[in-house]
Amino acid sequence: MIQYQEQHRIFAIQTKGSSYVFGINAKGILQHLYWGTPVDVEDCIPLLTNRGHSSFDMELEREIEEYSFWGGLVYSEPSLKVIWPDGVRDLCMDYTGHQIVQQDGKETLVMTMKDRIYPLEVHMTYAVIPEFDLIERSVRIVNTGEHDIVLESMQSAAWSLPTLPDYRLTHVTGKWSGEFQLRNTLLSEGKKVIESRRGFTDGHANPWFAVDSGQATEERGQVWFGALAWSGNWKITAEKSSFNQVRVTGGINDFDSEWILGPGESFDTPMFVGGYTEGGFGEMSRHLHHYQYQYIIPSQEPRKVLYNSWEATYFDVNAKDQMALAERAAKLGVELFVVDDGWFGARNHDRAGLGDWFVNQEKFPNGLNELIEKVHAFGMEFGIWVEPESVNPDSELYRQHPDWVYHFPTRGRTELRNQLLLNISKPEVKQYILTFMIDLLSKHDITFIKWDMNRTITEPGMKDHPIHRQKEVWIRHVQTLYEIWAELRERFPHVAFETCAGGGSRIDLGILRYADQSWPSDNTDAFDRLSIQEGFSYAYPPKLMTCWVTESPSGMNKRVTSLAYRFYSAMMGTLGIGSNLNEWSDELIEQSAAFVQQYKDIRPVIQYGQQYRLPALKHKGVTAVQYVSLDGSESVLFGFLHSQRLGEPLPRLRLQGLQADQSYRIDQLESTWTGRALMNIGIELPLRGDFDSLMYRIQRV
Ligand code: GLA
C-alpha cells in the first residue's frame, strides 16, 4: 500500500479507491504531487518539477510543500514555525530518511526531516486506512539540542488539492442550540479560516472540512475532506494562491499559542485524518462514520436507550422525584437512567455549588445509592452528570482555592453562566478532579458519565506557571483533559462517557477516542434537530449522537409536533427521553413504550449500519434519511414533512444502498419490490399536512 520509487524519490500511498503521492524534489523539499483516483507511482514522475513565475514568485513548488516549513520563500500558511535559541526564526529542513512500519495495526510511513544547522527533527507520520481511503497524519517534533526551542505554530498536516475549475468548501457553523449548520462557499484567492479560539472545540465551528469542485452531490462526485482530532483551539485554513493552488492546513490554533520545547523533549501534534472519495458527500460521511466505529471510539457496544432528567426537573432534583421518574422510565423500556445537573453541593440553580462534588444531603438524605438501587431494581443502569472543569464563585471549592481558576492577576474574572474555569493542568487541580471522580465511581454503581463543560476560556492566565510559558495554556488544558479521561476509562472500563459542552461544543475526533457518545445540542425541538443532526452526520456517525424525545409544545420554541414525529427524529441516533414522565399519562407511556420497542428492533441498523441522506425532496420540505445494515438485509427510512403546499403530492423518493437483485418488503405499505425498483423508481411518501413523519422498515425477503 505504501510504495517508494527510489530512483525518483517518490512515495505513493495507495488505498482501495485513492492514491496520495509526494516526492523529494531537487532542492530536497517534500513536494506534494497527487491526491485522487488511483494512479501508478510511475505516472507521477513528471509532476516532480520546480515551477517559477518571476523573480517575485520564484519557488511556486513551495505552495505544494507537503508540510510547509516557514523559512526562505514560504509565504503561504506555514505548517511549522519556530524560534531558535539564538533568536533566528527560519527553518531549513532536509529529508533524511523514512521508515515504513506497522503502528497500531496500520501500515505507516514516517518521513524524517532535519534542520541543516539547528538540532530539530521532524517525523511526519502517514498511517493508512485503506478500506476507507483515509490517511491519518500527524507530526512529532523533537528537540535534539540543549536549549529551548519555541514552537510558534505546529500544524498537523497540509492537504494539497489537485487543479479544479472551482473549489467549494463545505463546513459547519452554529451557536448554542443551533450547532452543526451546514455551509458552503466557493474559495477565491486568499484564505478562508474556520477555527476555535474559545478553549474547546466550539459550537460555532467544528474541525472538519470538505472540498469539491462545486459539482459533487450526495451520491456522486469527487470530494476531498479531513477531520482533526483536537478538542481545544484549532484552526483549519483553506488557502487559494494566485496560481490556483489550494491547500488546506490544519491543527492546533497558533493564535495566542506557543509551546516551549525543552532539550530532549518532543511534541506530538493532534492527528488530522484526510480522505478522498468519488462517491459524493454521502460516501464521505459513511467512510468517516465507519472509520470512527472501527478506529476511534473506545467501545463497540450498542448504545443504550437512556432517560435524562434535565428538562424534567432542571436543578430541582431529589431522591423522591427521581425515583418516581425512574419507575415511569422503566415502564417505557429505558435501559439507562441518568440524573443530570443539581444533585451535588448547593446546586439549586446555576449560580452556586459547581465544584462541590459531594451529594446534596437535603436532596438525597440517604445518599445516591438509595436511588441507584431503585434504578437497578427497575432493571436499568444508572448514569450521572458532572462538569469537573468549572466552578461557581459561590462554592466551597472557590472560597478555598480562588487561585485555581484561569485569571490574570490585574484583571477581572469574566463569568459565563455564573462560572469560572479551573486550570486543570495545575497538578493539585487535576488531582482534585481525579479524586472526586474516582470516589464517585468507586462508591456507586454508575455506568454512565455525562461530562459537561459549560463555558469558554477567558483571561487565560495560569498562576504558578512560568511567565514565558503562559501561552501553553490552550494546549495544556486539552492534554490534561485527555489524561483525566484516559485514566478514568482505564480504571472504570465498564463506564461509558458522553461528551457534552453546553450542547455540542466538544465533539471532535480527539475527545471521541474517549467518549462513547455525544450530546449534539441542547435544542431538543424535533424539527430543529433535523438540520442539526444532518450537519452532525457529515462528519460524525449516528451511534454517537444522543437524541432525546421531549415535550410538545417544545420548551425551546413552542412548536407542536406529534409523538411519532418526536420519536422518529430522536430514533435517528441513540435514543433518549427527556420529558417529565411524572406528568405523562399512562396512555402516553404505553404509546411511547411501543416506539422505544421499535427503536430497539431497528437499533442494529441505526447504530451499526450505513447512513444515506436522501435530499431529493428537500425543496418540498422533506427530510429523508435511510439506514442500511452492512449485509444489505435490512433498511430503515425516516421521512419528515415540514409543511405541505396546495395539497401537492410529493414526487417519488429513490432509496439507496439496497441490493438491486433482491426483494424487499415494506410492511407499512404491505408490498414487496426489488432493490432495483426501490432505488430507481422509488416510493411515494404519504406525508401530509404540517410536521408529518414516517418510519418504514424495509426488509429483504
Ligand atoms: C448543559 C447541557 C445540558 C444540561 C445542562 C445542565 O447546558 O448541555 O444538557 O446538562 O448543562 O446544567
Side-chain angles (χ1 to χ4, degrees):
M1 279 170 308
I2 296 174
Q3 300 167 327
Y4 178 46
Q5 213 280 4
E6 207 166 349
Q7 189 193 348
H8 294 92
R9 301 204 295 177
I10 295 180
F11 297 85
I13 297 170
Q14 307 286 13
T15 69
K16 209 171 114 202
S18 77
S19 294
Y20 184 99
V21 189
F22 59 89
I24 302 160
N25 68 22
K27 296 174 188 162
I29 289 166
L30 289 196
Q31 186 177 321
H32 181 82
L33 299 178
Y34 177 83
W35 189 19
T37 304
V39 295
D40 265 3
V41 62
E42 310 282 336
D43 299 338
C44 297
I45 296 168
L47 299 175
L48 192 58
T49 52
N50 299 334
R51 194 157 65 100
H53 172 72
S54 69
S55 64
F56 290 98
D57 295 294
M58 253 171 47
E59 291 189 353
L60 291 186
E61 68 274 11
R62 293 301 290 264
E63 291 182 356
I64 49 170
E65 198 174 340
E66 257 300 283
Y67 186 78
S68 205
F69 297 101
W70 189 77
L73 284 170
V74 169
Y75 294 107
S76 49
E77 182 73 9
S79 306
L80 184 65
K81 188 168 183 308
V82 308
I83 307 177
W84 302 114
D86 60 4
V88 170
R89 312 185 307 283
D90 173 275
L91 283 154
C92 283
M93 303 294 287
D94 287 323
Y95 162 80
T96 57
H98 73 270
Q99 275 187 303
I100 298 173
V101 292
Q102 285 291 323
Q103 224 166 275
D104 303 327
K106 298 168 205 154
E107 190 175 4
T108 303
L109 171 64
V110 185
M111 305 291 299
T112 298
M113 315 278 297
K114 286 187 188 160
D115 191 85
R116 282 180 205 155
I117 300 179
Y118 294 97
L120 191 80
E121 274 181 23
V122 171
H123 304 281
M124 298 160 49
T125 297
Y126 299 77
V128 191
I129 317 283
E131 67 275 34
F132 300 129
D133 303 316
L134 297 173
I135 302 171
E136 293 179 337
R137 288 178 63 182
S138 63
V139 175
R140 170 168 292 178
I141 303 155
V142 190
N143 179 351
T144 54
E146 281 158 16
H147 304 283
D148 287 353
I149 297 171
V150 181
L151 306 182
E152 288 190 305
S153 174
M154 53 295 197
Q155 300 301 294
S156 298
W159 302 97
S160 292
L161 301 182
T163 305
L164 300 174
D166 265 316
Y167 295 89
R168 177 174 63 174
L169 174 75
T170 300
H171 63 103
V172 287
T173 184
K175 47 187 162 305
W176 177 78
S177 265
E179 298 87 340
F180 295 105
Q181 301 300 305
L182 283 163
R183 293 287 184 273
N184 59 57
T185 182
L186 288 183
L187 296 174
S188 61
E189 288 74 4
K191 292 178 185 178
K192 166 78 183 173
V193 177
I194 51 173
E195 64 173 349
S196 165
R197 294 186 183 188
R198 290 164 204 256
F200 57 14
T201 322
D202 202 358
H204 295 81
N206 192 272
W208 65 266
F209 75 92
V211 175
D212 74 305
S213 69
Q215 305 291 319
T217 65
E218 276 293 325
E219 288 174 64
R220 57 187 64 88
Q222 295 179 301
V223 185
W224 293 261
F225 57 93
L228 182 70
W230 188 244
S231 314
N233 284 3
W234 57 271
K235 183 169 105 171
I236 293 179
T237 305
E239 180 171 21
K240 183 175 178 185
S241 79
S242 319
F243 299 95
N244 202 38
Q245 181 55 54
V246 168
R247 189 166 59 174
V248 182
T249 303
I252 293 173
N253 203 329
D254 55 348
F255 173 77
D256 191 45
S257 181
E258 238 170 45
W259 190 262
I260 310 291
L261 197 63
E265 287 178 358
S266 61
F267 184 89
D268 290 325
T269 71
M271 184 272 288
F272 196 178
V273 68
Y276 166 75
T277 176
E278 287 169 20
F281 294 102
E283 190 165 281
M284 166 191 87
S285 298
R286 287 187 292 280
H287 280 188
L288 282 172
H289 293 174
H290 285 269
Y291 159 67
Q292 286 163 74
Y293 287 161
Q294 286 180 39
Y295 293 92
I296 298 286
I297 57 168
S299 139
Q300 307 297 321
E301 295 288 305
R303 305 292 9 121
K304 300 197 166 66
V305 177
L306 64 78
Y307 176 80
N308 180 294
S309 65
W310 174 241
E311 288 195 25
T313 61
Y314 293 103
F315 297 97
D316 194 9
V317 170
N318 64 65
K320 193 169 138 268
D321 291 349
Q322 293 291 317
M323 285 186 213
L325 282 170
E327 185 173 0
R328 313 279 292 168
K331 288 198 177 127
L332 280 180
V334 163
E335 298 159 318
L336 169 67
F337 184 84
V338 184
V339 173
D340 210 279
D341 198 351
W343 58 270
F344 52 89
R347 188 75 169 163
N348 299 316
H349 38 64
D350 64 11
R351 298 184 300 281
L354 201 56
D356 298 339
W357 298 104
F358 45 82
V359 180
N360 182 309
Q361 289 299 321
E362 274 166 40
K363 297 178 178 182
F364 295 92
N366 304 314
L368 276 182
N369 278 333
E370 184 189 32
L371 171 62
I372 295 176
E373 278 160 26
K374 253 284 175 356
V375 166
H376 289 165
F378 289 132
M380 298 179 291
E381 295 185 15
F382 184 81
I384 204 159
W385 178 97
V386 292
E387 189 183 345
E389 295 151 88
S390 294
V391 63
N392 283 125
D394 185 1
S395 66
E396 290 310 315
L397 184 71
Y398 188 73
R399 278 184 279 274
Q400 278 170 27
H401 301 288
D403 288 346
W404 278 13
V405 299
Y406 294 121
H407 67 283
F408 289 130
T410 55
R411 299 290 177 206
R413 302 176 180 198
T414 304
E415 288 179 29
L416 286 167
R417 207 190 187 205
N418 313 302
Q419 62 198 54
L420 299 166
L421 205 66
L422 294 170
N423 171 9
I424 62 172
S425 66
K426 208 175 169 53
E428 52 272 45
V429 180
K430 180 182 176 190
Q431 196 49 54
Y432 172 77
I433 293 174
L434 274 170
T435 305
F436 90 72
M437 284 301 298
I438 290 168
D439 197 60
L440 180 69
L441 291 172
S442 313
K443 293 194 176 136
H444 305 97
D445 192 350
I446 293 173
T447 53
F448 180 87
I449 290 289
K450 173 177 173 185
W451 185 298
D452 208 341
M453 205 281 214
N454 280 309
R455 60 155 296 155
T456 53
I457 297 183
T458 56
E459 296 93 25
M462 294 188 282
K463 187 166 179 294
D464 303 329
H465 198 65
I467 300 284
H468 70 293
R469 289 178 170 264
Q470 286 287 316
K471 287 183 176 179
E472 296 174 347
V473 50
W474 308 102
I475 296 174
R476 288 198 180 271
H477 190 95
V478 183
Q479 286 178 337
T480 311
L481 178 78
Y482 289 163
E483 285 163 16
I484 293 172
W485 280 50
E487 177 159 352
L488 292 175
R489 289 214 71 115
E490 167 119 12
R491 280 178 187 256
F492 304 99
H494 60 286
V495 178
F497 283 73
E498 179 171 74
T499 175
C500 171
S505 282
R506 191 152 64 194
I507 299 171
D508 60 82
L509 297 189
I511 200 76
L512 291 176
R513 281 179 302 201
Y514 307 98
D516 301 272
Q517 59 198 77
S518 69
W519 180 236
S521 180
D522 280 345
N523 188 340
T524 59
D525 171 74
F527 171 73
D528 284 1
R529 267 289 178 134
L530 295 179
S531 61
I532 293 170
Q533 294 177 181
E534 181 188 17
F536 181 98
S537 76
Y538 264 57
Y540 306 108
K543 186 181 170 189
L544 302 191
M545 180 173 80
T546 315
C547 315
W548 303 344
V549 173
T550 54
E551 293 303 329
S552 170
S554 155
M556 302 296 299
N557 55 23
K558 307 289 170 248
R559 182 176 286 122
V560 176
T561 47
S562 69
L563 190 66
Y565 191 101
R566 281 174 282 146
F567 262 99
Y568 294 155
S569 168
M571 281 155 82
M572 292 160 77
T574 280
L575 177 65
I577 320 285
S579 283
N580 190 347
L581 303 180
N582 288 338
E583 287 172 8
W584 276 23
S585 67
D586 291 345
E587 195 192 346
L588 194 51
I589 295 271
E590 208 174 294
Q591 288 168 1
S592 301
F595 284 111
V596 171
Q597 186 52 51
Q598 274 182 22
Y599 179 74
K600 290 179 181 169
D601 295 341
I602 61 169
R603 171 162 49 192
V605 186
I606 306 294
Q607 294 196 4
Y608 296 96
Q610 301 276 19
Q611 188 190 48
Y612 294 85
R613 295 178 293 259
L614 309 178
L617 305 184
K618 212 170 189 173
H619 63 294
K620 297 277 184 188
V622 173
T623 301
V625 184
Q626 191 194 345
Y627 298 70
V628 184
S629 65
L630 292 183
D631 67 0
S633 66
E634 204 180 332
S635 177
V636 177
L637 172 71
F638 293 100
F640 304 87
L641 176 64
H642 179 265
S643 46
Q644 193 175 30
R645 284 177 211 165
L646 304 171
E648 259 181 45
L650 294 169
R652 284 175 174 271
L653 181 73
R654 287 183 288 138
L655 303 187
Q656 286 189 45
L658 304 173
Q659 291 159 335
D661 294 335
Q662 301 291 319
S663 295
Y664 290 90
R665 180 171 171 80
I666 303 180
D667 273 345
Q668 287 91 335
L669 298 181
E670 295 178 345
S671 49
T672 300
W673 288 270
T674 60
R676 183 174 293 109
L678 289 171
M679 293 192 291
N680 293 300
I681 299 171
I683 52 174
E684 266 180 41
L685 303 183
L687 294 168
R688 299 286 178 272
D690 296 345
F691 297 112
D692 199 4
S693 63
L694 60 79
M695 184 198 85
Y696 285 170
R697 286 188 75 178
I698 303 158
Q699 279 159 312
R700 196 168 65 193
V701 286

